[in-house]
Amino acid sequence: MFEPSVKRTIAFIDGQNLYHSVRESFGYTYPNYNVIALAQTICSSRGWDLSGVRFYTGVPDAYDNQRWHDFWVRKLAVMGRQNVHIYSRSLRYRTKVVRLPDGTEETYLSGEEKGIDVRIAIDLIRLAHRKSYDVALVFSQDQDLSEVADEIKVISGEQNRWIKMACAFPVSPASRNKRGINGTDWIRIAKATYDLCIDRRDYRKLSPT
């Protein structure tokens, strides 16, 4: 099967999954990633052509958590102006405890999403059928997407064209989960790489725009 010299790549980013992995691996306590910079950095290191970024996240309702609702409203507004395709759903909260890299424990309310993984799966398959990408770069460690990886291989055979699904995720000695999605190429993100892709704007403090 012919491997294209220019590999059109779409990044599919599960915002909450990525955040919790970053928190556990690197100790950052809020979603401080710049998704375009992160996707572009990974693509550039592999010679892939980034043609789109799709971001999926849960957002708390204002009456549940005004602070984090406002944070996501601000961050998503900026991402939207940067031509990031955004899909958001409401979050439901549960109390969790996380051990940070320095050994301390922090109790926090964890937002649990409904339907985000399903939406990512639908878009991965839909855009593969439309021949919209050669590489699907997924920022998530959700093993539910392993079935999608199997389906992408079927689509590749049906279309007789080269398609790759890759999984990018943070990793450090503090990471409990050091596995990517089964059936995909794993791309481990080191802290030094992640730190180059931090969004220096702190949306916890900025006024709504």
Side-chain angles (χ1 to χ4, degrees), residues 43-100:
C43 287
S44 295
S45 69
R46 282 157 177 78
W48 299 342
D49 183 24
L50 182 65
S51 57
V53 177
R54 305 177 71 87
F55 186 81
Y56 307 78
T57 190
V59 176
D61 292 327
Y63 63 81
D64 283 335
N65 192 317
Q66 185 71 54
R67 180 193 183 202
W68 288 111
H69 173 83
D70 291 346
F71 170 89
W72 281 111
V73 167
R74 296 162 188 156
K75 190 172 181 73
L76 294 180
V78 170
M79 290 167 58
R81 291 195 292 271
Q82 296 170 333
N83 295 320
V84 175
H85 180 95
I86 295 167
Y87 177 85
S88 64
R89 295 287 297 272
S90 295
L91 284 174
R92 300 293 180 265
Y93 280 87
R94 291 186 181 180
T95 301
K96 290 190 176 182
V97 178
V98 65
R99 182 178 294 275
L100 300 176

Side-chain angles (χ1 to χ4, degrees), residues 115-130:
I116 293 295
D117 55 346
V118 174
R119 185 69 253 173
I120 294 173
I122 290 172
D123 287 351
L124 280 162
I125 292 171
R126 177 174 58 87
L127 294 174
H129 278 298
R130 293 183 178 180

